């Protein structure tokens, strides 16, 4: 099926599922196209109606909201796809960033495709791309790992496998575990270049770059706050810590 285009001629939005990226912190990252889709859609499916209600009110937009999150995803996915199949324009957003990237939306996309409904990406911020692009680590090949298992053998084995990779690895990590992750990497590969990208697009945006040993030492001295992306450079970039 042909994807409808949002041409500059201001034609009305065709029916479909619109995956609308939203800011990961900085409200200036809302594009005119994102705002237009949110303004002209019939309904906005979101994770948290209060959070998205605030975003819409800052943009001066009033649209009906319907909640869509990991606990009602399966049921809602079918319902949203059906509504689009019946002619509605359904915008799907998450609390921050691009829908479907470590966030719900995959099921609604599948349900829509299953019904022959157009799925239209309205691209914009995503922490994975923002962090990678400014990390200074190779960007020609990278793997997005999302969230690691939180603890135990599963986490250690996953990390060992990732450290064997010859591409940059991008991990979403909670601030409470960021220092621990740096230590875990340092224990296995102290000379590996890593980057902690924190609070992207926000007032306290920070990139902490160095070998795993250096970054672990630095993070050991402070309390890590805010949202974090942790990046690990490819195996070939590992420095010999001995010297
Ligand atoms: N869909 C989002 C995206 O496209 O980036 C990701 C959602 S995921 C549930 C949330 C995680 O993304 C956070 O725990 C953090 O690892 C990362 N993240 C989101 N916003 C961020 C920011 N402003 N700075 C750093 N990391 C961020």
């Amino acid at each position: 099926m042909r994807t409808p285009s949002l041409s500059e001629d201001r034609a009305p939005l065709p029916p479909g599922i619109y995956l609308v990226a939203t800011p990961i912190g900085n409200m200036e990252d809302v594009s005119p196209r994102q705002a237009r889709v949110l303004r002209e859609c019939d309904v906005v499916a979101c994770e948290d109606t209060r959070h998205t209600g605030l975003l819409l009110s800052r943009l001066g937009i009033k649209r009906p909201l319907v909640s869509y999150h990991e606990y009602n995803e399966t049921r809602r996915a079918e319902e949203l796809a059906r509504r689009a199949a019946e002619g509605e324009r359904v915008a799907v957003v998450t609390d921050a960033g691009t829908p479907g990237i470590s966030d719900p939306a995959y099921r609604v996309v599948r349900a829509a495709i299953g019904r022959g409904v157009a799925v239209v990406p309205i691209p914009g911020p995503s922490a994975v791309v923002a962090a990678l692009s400014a990390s200074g680590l190779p960007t020609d090949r990278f793997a997005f790992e999302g969230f690691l298992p939180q603890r135990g053998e599963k986490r250690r084995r996953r990390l060992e496998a990732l450290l064997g990779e010859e591409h940059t690895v991008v991990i979403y990590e909670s601030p409470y575990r960021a220092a621990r992750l740096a230590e875990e990497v340092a224990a296995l590969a102290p000379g590996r270049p890593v980057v902690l990208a924190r609070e992207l697009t926000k007032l306290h945006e920070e990139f902490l770059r160095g070998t795993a040993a250096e970054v672990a030492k630095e993070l050991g001295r402070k309390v890590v706050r805010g949202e974090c992306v942790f990046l690990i450079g490819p195996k070939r970039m590992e420095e010999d810590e001995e010297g």
Side-chain angles (χ1 to χ4, degrees), residues 21-26 47 94-104 124-131 144 146-147 171-175 197-202 205 226-230:
T22 55
I24 55 171
N26 192 322
E47 285 186 274
T94 59
D95 283 351
T98 300
I101 307 302
S102 284
D103 260 337
S126 189
V128 50
V129 174
F144 175 52
F147 291 95
I171 297 168
Y172 282 171
E173 187 55 286
S174 119
R198 209 173 58 77
E199 294 287 87
L200 293 163
T201 79
K202 303 184 199 177
E205 179 177 275
E227 295 190 281
C228 299
V229 181
F230 194 91

